[in-house]
Amino acid sequence: MTKLDELLSRIDPDRTTDQVSRRIDEAINSFLPGPGRIDRYDDFLTYIICFCRFVEATVLRLPDGAPQAGPDLDRSRFMPVLTRAYGDQGLKTAFEMARTGNEGGLYAVLRKLGEVLAGRYAENEIVARVWGYWNGLSMAEKLAAPDEYLSKYGHLLPSELTEGSAGRIRANLPKVLQEHARMMQRLRRVGR
C-alpha cells in the first residue's frame, strides 16, 4: 500500500464523514431533552451554546471537566453555525422555530446544527490528514503523487481537470485530495 493509498483510506467517508455523523447522532440522542419550545431569546442562546458544547465534547471526545471558553467566546464560535444552517438571519430563524414549534421546532434546529457541525468537524479532520500526508512527503514524492493519483482516479475527474498534462491537479493536489472524500461520498450515494 502506497502512502497515497494509506491517506485515501484514512480520509474515506466511512472513516471521516460517516464516523463523525454517527458521533453527532450519539450526541443529539444523549443530550438532555429541552422544553418543546423556548420562548425567551436568552434562554434559546444558552440552550444552543450548551448543545454545541456538548456536541463538540462528544465528537472530539473531550474529557469531562475539560476547560470551556466563556459564553461570549462560545457565542462567537457557534453563531456562525446557525448562519451556515439558516442563512444570514440564522439566529432569528432558528429562534422562531424553537419559539413556535414550526418546521420541526427545537429538535429540527438541533438536528440541523448537528449536520453543520458534522460537516465542519469532518472537513477539519480531512484537511489535517491531507496536509500531514503532504508535508511528510519528500520533493520527489510530491512530484510523483499526482501521477499516482491520476492513474488511479483520473477517470473519475472532470475532463477539464485531466486534459493536457493535468496542470491544475499537479499544482493543487492537496486541495484535490481534500475534495476526494466528498467525491467518493457522492459516487456512493449515486450507487444506492
Side-chain angles (χ1 to χ4, degrees):
M1 197 175 220
T2 66
K3 289 181 181 182
L4 178 64
D5 291 332
E6 288 175 15
L7 169 71
L8 296 178
S9 172
R10 291 179 62 226
I11 64 171
D12 186 88
D14 288 340
R15 297 181 76 183
T16 54
T17 309
D18 295 346
Q19 200 172 78
V20 169
S21 292
R22 282 190 291 277
R23 283 187 249 149
I24 292 280
D25 287 342
E26 175 189 322
I28 290 171
N29 292 333
S30 60
F31 187 66
L32 295 175
R37 295 181 188 179
I38 297 178
D39 294 324
R40 292 187 55 235
Y41 182 77
D42 290 340
D43 293 344
F44 175 72
L45 282 178
T46 300
Y47 189 79
I48 291 300
I49 288 171
C50 287
F51 172 74
C52 289
R53 280 181 184 165
F54 183 79
V55 167
E56 184 175 67
T58 302
V59 171
L60 301 179
R61 297 185 175 128
L62 299 176
D64 289 339
Q68 295 182 356
D72 290 337
L73 183 58
D74 279 338
R75 182 177 175 176
S76 68
R77 285 185 328 124
F78 296 128
M79 289 309 108
V81 176
L82 281 168
T83 301
R84 185 160 184 202
Y86 293 107
D88 290 335
Q89 297 295 315
L91 184 56
K92 182 178 178 182
T93 301
F95 174 63
E96 283 303 308
M97 288 174 65
R99 187 181 68 75
T100 64
N102 292 339
E103 298 180 54
L106 182 60
Y107 183 74
V109 170
L110 299 184
R111 273 264 159 231
K112 186 69 170 177
L113 290 177
E115 288 174 23
V116 173
L117 289 168
R120 176 192 279 184
Y121 296 139
E123 182 66 25
N124 289 346
E125 199 168 314
I126 290 167
V127 167
R129 289 178 183 181
V130 166
W131 283 104
Y133 155 81
W134 187 251
N135 291 332
L137 297 179
S138 68
M139 186 54 71
E141 290 171 321
K142 286 180 181 180
L143 293 172
D147 290 329
E148 180 183 356
Y149 184 78
L150 286 165
S151 71
K152 293 177 178 177
Y153 298 98
H155 65 285
L156 298 174
L157 301 172
S159 60
E160 62 268 8
L161 293 179
T162 58
E163 64 189 9
S165 64
R168 285 195 216 163
I169 291 175
R170 293 179 190 290
N172 299 299
L173 187 62
K175 291 205 181 288
V176 171
L177 295 174
Q178 289 170 32
E179 183 60 34
H180 181 84
R182 281 192 290 272
M183 177 179 72
M184 297 310 291
Q185 191 173 39
R186 286 190 300 268
L187 287 172
R188 288 178 188 160
R189 284 184 189 146
V190 168
R192 288 183 186 168

